[in-house]
């Protein structure tokens, strides 16, 4: 277990990343190839991705270069997932290129002691080898992660809306309390579940604050830097409650479709966690203008309310809308119980 110790200053400096971290998604997606845990949740992605990797001639690189550097174990090198990557793939890759050779060698030595490093790993201390490696990462990202970018972004935006709701209800501590079973807030400590083979450790933020990064491809234990001197970051899974998510994602839409139509049923569910017009559009698979019309219809019916923040509008449920959605969920659950019985 990792225990992260907060002060009042740290609570004030804790934030939720505003966008997916492409390099952490690369790392997490590589872990999906190394485990059957949660395979069902990524089944479609897994099938199409393996085919695309074969067609692009990247299977050998996957086996011989990437998987050995990103083992699904207690450790892989910190420099492979720089904190700056939350600002985009190019920024993250530049950070890898800018890593001092001494740090590369030190972290490869830790990898070797922990699970064993490939014989060529030390070559990455050289800039030319790292440039070649960065090219491999970019090619892998374009095949494995980029085609699913809209889905990843929609899930992370929904997670941010849910965490913001926790913040409105209980401040930063309210946000931390809703992160799921793998992260447990026991003021003033955030307990983070770690792989079983990892030793328990304590991380004192000492006024630096914490950056929380939701990860689409992460499954199970959250991830943090091994080096306590690096900026404190925790990458955590969006899929920590699959059973609840499966009911909430699909059943209410089905029971409301006959009344509202599919797109408006999807929009009503999306608004339950707070959703922008763009999020509704992505969730329903419609244009932004169509999503705006659906949101307007729901607002005119008294089911959602809309708040403008600069150029963005956030749609949330009214008490009436929440009651309608809860009733639909109860109906869906009753149907499931009846089927099982």
């Amino acid at each position: 277990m990792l225990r992260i110790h907060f002060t009042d200053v740290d609570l004030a400096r804790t934030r939720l990343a505003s966008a997916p971290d492409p390099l952490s998604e690369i790392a997490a997606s590589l872990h999906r190839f190394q485990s059957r845990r949660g395979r069902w949740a990524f089944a479609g992605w897994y099938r199409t991705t393996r085919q695309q990797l074969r067609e692009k001639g990247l299977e050998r690189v996957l086996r011989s270069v990437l998987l050995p550097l990103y083992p699904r174990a207690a450790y892989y090198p910190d420099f492979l997932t720089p904190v700056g990557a939350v600002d985009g793939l190019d920024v993250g890759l530049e950070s890898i290129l800018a890593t001092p050779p001494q740090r590369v060698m030190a972290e490869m030595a830790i990898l070797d002691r922990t699970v064993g490093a490939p014989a060529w790993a030390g070559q990455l201390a050289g800039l030319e080898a790292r440039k070649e490696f960065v090219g491999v990462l970019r090619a892998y990202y374009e095949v494995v992660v980029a085609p699913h970018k809209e889905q990843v972004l929609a899930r992370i935006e929904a997670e941010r809306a849910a965490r913001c709701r926790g913040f409105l209800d209980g401040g930063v501590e309210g946000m931390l309390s809703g992160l799921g079973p793998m992260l447990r807030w026991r003021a003033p400590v955030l307990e983070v579940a770690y792989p079983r083979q990892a030793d328990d450790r304590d991380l004192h933020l000492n006024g630096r604050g914490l950056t929380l990064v939701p990860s689409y491809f992460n499954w199970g234990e959250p991830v943090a830097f091994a080096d306590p001197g690096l900026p404190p970051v925790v990458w955590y899974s969006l899929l920590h409650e699959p059973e609840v998510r499966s009911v909430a994602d699909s059943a209410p839409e089905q029971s409301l479709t006959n009344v509202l139509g599919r797109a408006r049923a999807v929009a009503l569910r999306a608004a339950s966690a707070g959703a922008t017009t763009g999020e509704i559009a992505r969730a329903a698979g419609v244009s932004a203008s169509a999503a705006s019309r659906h949101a307007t219809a729901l607002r005119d019916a008294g089911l959602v309310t809309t708040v403008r923040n600069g150029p963005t509008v956030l749609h949330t449920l009214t008490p009436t809308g929440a009651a309608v959605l809860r009733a639909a969920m109860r109906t869906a659950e009753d149907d499931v119980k009846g089927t099982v019985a």
Side-chain angles (χ1 to χ4, degrees), residues 15 21 78 81-87 91-92 95 211 213 225 231-233 235:
R15 71 184 189 95
D21 178 338
D78 287 335
T81 52
V83 66
V86 295
D87 293 323
V91 174
S95 295
T211 299
V213 185
F225 285 131
V233 181
W235 293 268

Side-chain angles (χ1 to χ4, degrees), residues 8 19 83 91 98 129 148 152 155 173 181-182 189 198 245 298 327 334:
D8 289 343
V83 66
V91 174
H148 307 273
V152 171
R155 286 287 291 119
E173 293 190 69
M182 293 292 181
V189 177
R245 188 176 66 89
L298 293 174
D334 291 342

Side-chain angles (χ1 to χ4, degrees), residues 4 24 66 70 77 80-81 100 104 111 120 131 133 149 167 175 179 225 251 282 328:
I4 304 177
S24 74
L66 295 177
Y70 295 83
L80 296 176
T81 52
V104 175
L111 177 65
W120 48 264
K131 286 181 178 179
F133 175 68
K149 189 161 54 177
F167 177 81
M175 181 181 73
L179 289 171
F225 285 131
R282 280 189 286 272

Side-chain angles (χ1 to χ4, degrees), residues 80-260:
L80 296 176
T81 52
V83 66
V86 295
D87 293 323
L89 180 65
D90 290 338
V91 174
L93 296 179
E94 286 298 325
S95 295
I96 290 178
L97 291 176
T99 306
Q102 297 88 342
R103 179 183 167 190
V104 175
M105 293 299 293
E107 294 186 4
M108 288 302 179
I110 297 173
L111 177 65
D112 195 42
R113 292 195 302 270
T114 305
V115 294
W120 48 264
Q123 297 177 22
L124 289 179
L127 183 58
E128 290 306 313
R130 241 176 304 152
K131 286 181 178 179
E132 185 176 350
F133 175 68
V134 159
V136 169
L137 287 180
R138 188 183 294 277
Y140 176 88
Y141 177 84
E142 292 300 327
V143 171
V144 174
V145 180
H148 307 273
K149 189 161 54 177
E150 287 300 314
Q151 184 177 357
V152 171
L153 182 59
R155 286 287 291 119
I156 287 179
E157 287 179 343
E159 169 69 6
R160 279 174 54 82
R163 298 289 72 80
C164 286
R165 188 68 62 87
F167 177 81
L168 291 173
D169 291 340
V172 175
E173 293 190 69
M175 181 181 73
L176 293 173
S177 297
L179 289 171
M182 293 292 181
L183 299 102
R184 184 165 50 185
W185 175 246
R186 292 185 173 180
V189 177
L190 181 64
E191 297 178 345
V192 182
Y194 248 36
R196 293 178 182 176
Q197 65 267 38
D199 295 331
D200 286 358
R201 65 188 182 101
D202 292 271
L203 174 62
H204 294 269
L205 298 179
N206 296 326
R208 294 176 295 172
L210 178 69
T211 299
L212 294 161
V213 185
S215 171
Y216 180 82
F217 286 107
N218 178 281
W219 182 274
E221 295 91 352
V223 177
F225 285 131
D227 184 351
L230 292 172
V233 181
V234 171
W235 293 268
Y236 68 94
S237 174
L238 292 173
L239 301 173
H240 48 67
E241 293 179 343
E243 295 83 9
V244 174
R245 188 176 66 89
S246 63
V247 173
D249 277 357
S250 57
E253 291 172 21
Q254 295 170 4
S255 61
L256 289 171
T257 295
N258 290 339
V259 176
L260 300 177

Side-chain angles (χ1 to χ4, degrees), residues 18 48 52-53 88 94 116 137 156 179 181 208 214 233-234 261 265 276 287 304 306 317 327 333-334 336:
S18 60
T48 58
Q52 288 296 312
L53 287 169
E94 286 298 325
L137 287 180
I156 287 179
L179 289 171
R208 294 176 295 172
V233 181
V234 171
T276 65
S287 67
V304 304
T306 300
L317 295 182
E333 291 169 355
D334 291 342
V336 171

Side-chain angles (χ1 to χ4, degrees), residues 254-321:
Q254 295 170 4
S255 61
L256 289 171
T257 295
N258 290 339
V259 176
L260 300 177
R262 179 191 169 278
R264 289 178 188 174
V266 174
L268 188 69
R269 179 183 59 78
S272 65
T276 65
T277 302
E279 290 167 11
I280 290 175
R282 280 189 286 272
V286 298
S287 67
S289 59
S292 180
R293 290 195 298 273
H294 292 312
T296 298
L298 293 174
R299 184 172 64 248
D300 291 344
L303 300 178
V304 304
T305 185
T306 300
V307 177
R308 179 171 292 278
N309 181 22
T312 302
V313 293
L314 182 68
H315 308 284
T316 58
L317 295 182
T318 63
T320 300

